[in-house]
Amino acid sequence: MPSYSRLFAALCGLATTAVAVNPLIVDGKDFVDSVTKDRFQIIGVDYQPGGSSGFSGDSDPLSDKASCLRDAALMQRLGINTIRVYNLATNVSHDDCASIFNAAGIYMLLDVNSPLPNGSLDRTAPWTTYDLDYLQRIFSVVEAFKNYPNTLGFFAGNEVINEQSTKEVPAYIRAVQRDLKDYIAKNVQRPIPVGYSAADVRDILVDTANYMSCEISNATSSRSDFFGLNSYSWCGDSSYTKSGYDVLTADFANASLPAFFSEYGCNLVEPRVFTEVQALYGEDMTQAFSGGLVYEWTQEANNYGLVQINDNNTVTLLIDYDNLQKQFDKIDVKRIESSNTTQTSVKPVPCSADLITGNFLNTFDLPARPQGVDDLIQNGVKGATVGKLVSVSSQEIPNTVYDYTGKVISGIRLNALQNNEVNTPGSNTSGSSSDGNGTSSATGTAASATHTGAASRQHSSGVLSTFGAVVALAVSLAW
Ligand SMILES: *[C@@H]1O[C@H](CO)[C@@H](O)[C@H](O)[C@H]1NC(C)=O
Ligand SMILES: *[C@@H]1O[C@H](CO)[C@@H](O)[C@H](O)[C@H]1NC(C)=O
Ligand SMILES: *[C@@H]1O[C@H](CO)[C@@H](O)[C@H](O)[C@H]1NC(C)=O
Ligand SMILES: *[C@@H]1O[C@H](CO)[C@@H](O)[C@H](O)[C@H]1NC(C)=O
Ligand SMILES: *[C@@H]1O[C@H](CO)[C@@H](O)[C@H](O)[C@H]1NC(C)=O
Ligand SMILES: *[C@@H]1O[C@H](CO)[C@@H](O)[C@H](O)[C@H]1NC(C)=O
Ligand SMILES: *[C@@H]1O[C@H](CO)[C@@H](O)[C@H](O)[C@H]1NC(C)=O
Ligand SMILES: CC(=O)N[C@H]1CO[C@H](CO)[C@@H](O)[C@@H]1O
């Protein structure tokens, strides 16, 4: 299939038509490129234009081609290789957007839950919401995204376990993971990873990670494939020890699955300087963590944005965007991508009550499947919208882009990468800043950048995330 598409592209003279990134798999405690076996670390951003309350079910951040083109080009320039999208409509086409991000060398982490009715587990009474309607919805998200090679994984839940949740919630999350993974095994041609995204509530964090990552001998598919942590404990120009990152690193040093920050980027000190990037991708932390995703792409009421989408269809790159780009540019991509058999040979431990140290569920009996779900898994969701890649070419974006001082940056383009390529920081491949009288400081072209090696390497619910961020902040401040 890839060689056929390449031939087709060559015949048509479309040298820049993108084919596909390699799917990622989980091996031990690392994400790994399924073809080259290189390690993959997430250099990501949470993508939630419109905020968490803007979701109606009729559209989502991956249903509007024009904004995806604009954002993928700007993310490519920033050095992003993964986005997380929280709320997804199941009955719209994501083909243009998923294909644009694929062409840009950017993977997608997708929350299956939504804030709409029957769209998530009720943390105060999970047994009232774990039902056929709910499971049909989350399986429909799998159907929508299963055919895109850049679908990195699905979050079965986001911050469902917190101070308000009942004791049974962890078992329900494992049941949802079991059902998703059994659905994928039966209805998808490759093993798409499924995991959980936790709030940074320190006194239950290790118990949560242990509960999700241990192996239940008669329910092996319920295990998390990866563990996301929403962490806001590094504020301003903090340090490895002051931020508590040293504690997190020790907590996850022995984890048996890939762990990463599913949200980070405290905004108590502004502008954000993102010095935590050097810690996260540095020698101390890359054994324990596989990178992270900065909260969040667009500026919303809670003030975490990297870019501002203006009413007149222009974009302003905020100073946080520039600060983050400078930090990303310093990442030693070659080092963090190198495979390590010590990491990939880590095995899960069997679940047992003594893994749980605090006041947390310590039994591993999972709720049985609701009636009708076995049939849904055997036969697939009927009438579901199933996505597929479409062709994408390199192109300049139509939007005017300003830097944070108001200067126009011209020539920003989506750079459709060659087959198997993943976006990496340090390319800053498109756009030149003009001072208004025609003088511009060029920064190189997309085409040349893909051949420098450094720029782009051949590889080698989100229910209430905003609220969640606030909760996590409050917790890390208290602590
Ligand atoms: C898609 O699903 C949403 C949420 O269930 C619903 O509100 C909307 O009417 C549906 N749209 C179409 C075109 O079916
Ligand atoms: C798995 O084993 C546990 C403990 O022996 C038991 O309580 C549970 O019912 C079993 N579950 C299944 C699906 O067989
Ligand atoms: C991790 O494992 C090592 C070696 O088995 C052990 O010495 C260490 O105490 C463990 N750390 C944690 C936090 O459990
Ligand atoms: C678009 O809106 C932004 C923000 O209000 C403003 O800075 C910019 O000058 C406007 N551009 C045009 C072309 O109107
Ligand atoms: C491989 O990973 C282990 C820990 O999992 C670490 O101790 C070791 O230094 C790593 N090796 C290299 C070459 O980075
Ligand atoms: C990226 O390019 C822009 C010009 O488009 C320049 O102003 C900026 O300093 C560059 N950033 C880095 C980190 O090199
Ligand atoms: C205009 O162009 C000249 C070079 O031709 C340059 O020296 C100057 O800084 C530019 N900017 C402004 C605002 O004049
Ligand atoms: C089958 C089922 O649980 N449906 C529920 C969907 O959500 C609505 C509103 O919350 C409930 O009233 C239904 O019972």
Side-chain angles (χ1 to χ4, degrees):
M1 177 62 186
S3 57
Y4 180 80
S5 332
R6 239 188 242 164
L7 178 63
F8 182 74
L11 288 174
C12 299
L14 302 173
T16 55
T17 300
V19 190
V21 296
N22 293 330
L24 299 176
I25 54 172
V26 169
D27 195 7
K29 65 182 301 176
D30 287 349
F31 290 115
V32 166
D33 182 304
S34 59
V35 177
T36 65
K37 310 297 180 203
D38 284 342
R39 185 177 179 188
F40 177 84
Q41 297 213 39
I42 295 171
I43 301 172
V45 68
D46 295 308
Y47 189 45
Q48 187 177 223
S52 62
S53 56
F55 182 69
S56 69
D58 272 331
S59 64
D60 63 39
L62 298 177
S63 64
D64 179 31
K65 182 180 182 179
S67 48
C68 289
L69 175 65
R70 173 198 69 204
D71 293 337
L74 291 168
M75 286 180 196
Q76 213 174 20
R77 181 176 178 276
L78 177 58
I80 293 298
N81 66 18
T82 307
I83 54 171
R84 175 187 184 177
V85 187
Y86 295 87
N87 298 318
L88 293 158
T90 55
N91 54 9
V92 299
S93 172
H94 303 103
D95 289 350
D96 287 322
C97 285
S99 304
I100 285 168
F101 283 105
N102 169 65
I106 296 175
Y107 291 91
M108 306 180 293
L109 274 167
L110 307 162
D111 284 72
V112 296
N113 295 297
S114 103
L116 301 180
N118 310 106
S120 64
L121 288 182
D122 178 348
R123 62 165 64 81
T124 66
W127 49 89
T128 64
T129 42
Y130 178 64
D131 58 27
L132 183 62
D133 284 7
Y134 168 65
L135 291 164
Q136 171 143 342
R137 178 201 140 86
I138 67 176
F139 295 162
S140 300
V141 176
V142 172
E143 289 293 335
F145 289 93
K146 68 180 186 181
N147 287 341
Y148 304 128
N150 58 328
T151 296
L152 165 48
F154 295 109
F155 284 114
N158 179 56
E159 302 192 350
V160 195
I161 302 167
N162 68 8
E163 294 87 342
Q164 282 87 46
S165 55
T166 62
K167 206 166 178 188
E168 296 82 0
V169 164
Y172 278 87
I173 295 169
R174 280 198 69 139
V176 172
Q177 291 181 162
R178 169 196 66 198
D179 301 340
L180 280 168
K181 287 170 69 173
D182 290 354
Y183 189 90
I184 290 167
K186 185 78 191 159
N187 296 285
V188 184
Q189 283 172 350
R190 69 178 172 99
I192 303 178
V194 172
Y196 177 66
S197 175
D200 190 354
V201 183
R202 292 288 165 105
D203 53 355
I204 54 168
L205 180 59
V206 172
D207 282 348
T208 307
N210 283 343
Y211 195 94
M212 294 302 158
S213 62
C214 64
E215 184 135 279
I216 302 176
S217 60
N218 63 0
T220 50
S221 62
S222 68
R223 181 175 177 260
S224 291
D225 293 318
F226 57 78
F227 192 87
L229 171 62
N230 298 338
S231 177
Y232 292 84
S233 69
W234 183 304
C235 303
D237 189 11
S238 190
S239 77
Y240 184 57
T241 48
K242 213 160 75 182
S243 65
Y245 273 27
D246 56 340
V247 177
L248 290 177
T249 301
D251 285 348
F252 284 89
N254 292 352
S256 59
L257 75 189
F260 57 92
F261 289 167
S262 35
E263 295 176 2
Y264 74 94
C266 168
N267 68 355
L268 285 186
V269 182
E270 292 183 314
R272 294 184 287 179
V273 286
F274 292 112
T275 44
E276 65 266 51
V277 165
Q278 299 322 313
L280 183 55
Y281 299 95
E283 304 265 0
D284 287 329
M285 292 184 78
T286 50
Q287 187 272 326
F289 288 98
S290 294
L293 300 111
V294 171
Y295 192 83
E296 69 178 322
W297 180 245
T298 52
Q299 182 71 319
E300 308 292 343
N302 58 5
N303 209 28
Y304 280 93
L306 299 177
V307 308
Q308 165 92 47
I309 309 299
N310 302 316
D311 290 339
N312 55 18
N313 204 30
T314 66
V315 192
T316 303
L317 307 184
L318 302 174
I319 189 167
D320 287 18
Y321 177 105
D322 280 45
N323 289 346
L324 183 58
Q325 186 177 36
K326 289 190 186 93
Q327 297 293 341
F328 280 167
D329 283 350
K330 289 191 244 171
I331 295 174
D332 183 348
V333 174
K334 197 168 155 55
R335 189 183 66 77
I336 68 170
E337 279 182 352
S338 56
S339 65
N340 180 328
T341 50
T342 312
Q343 297 273 110
T344 53
S345 58
V346 172
K347 297 276 183 281
V349 297
C351 292
S352 66
D354 59 16
L355 286 178
I356 307 299
T357 56
N359 180 27
F360 195 87
L361 184 64
N362 65 2
T363 59
F364 298 89
D365 297 332
L366 307 184
R369 263 182 198 139
Q371 199 155 23
V373 176
D374 278 329
D375 181 59
L376 211 49
I377 291 174
Q378 281 307 309
N379 301 307
V381 176
K382 300 246 166 1
T385 303
V386 182
K388 63 168 190 333
L389 278 190
V390 296
S391 136
V392 174
S393 304
S394 294
Q395 58 196 287
E396 199 162 311
I397 65 169
N399 315 70
T400 300
V401 179
Y402 303 100
D403 72 9
Y404 69 92
T405 69
K407 272 191 201 164
V408 172
I409 305 173
S410 57
I412 292 196
R413 32 192 290 120
L414 178 82
N415 177 21
L417 301 179
Q418 298 304 301
N419 205 12
N420 305 346
E421 284 182 338
V422 176
N423 193 46
T424 59
S427 38
N428 198 8
T429 49
S430 74
S432 59
S433 182
S434 162
D435 49 26
N437 67 0
T439 312
S440 65
S441 46
T443 53
T445 66
S448 66
T450 59
H451 298 294
T452 60
S456 185
R457 228 160 273 282
Q458 188 92 24
H459 259 240
S460 41
S461 170
V463 186
L464 286 173
S465 77
T466 309
F467 172 72
V470 174
V471 170
L473 245 181
V475 169
S476 38
L477 284 180
W479 160 88

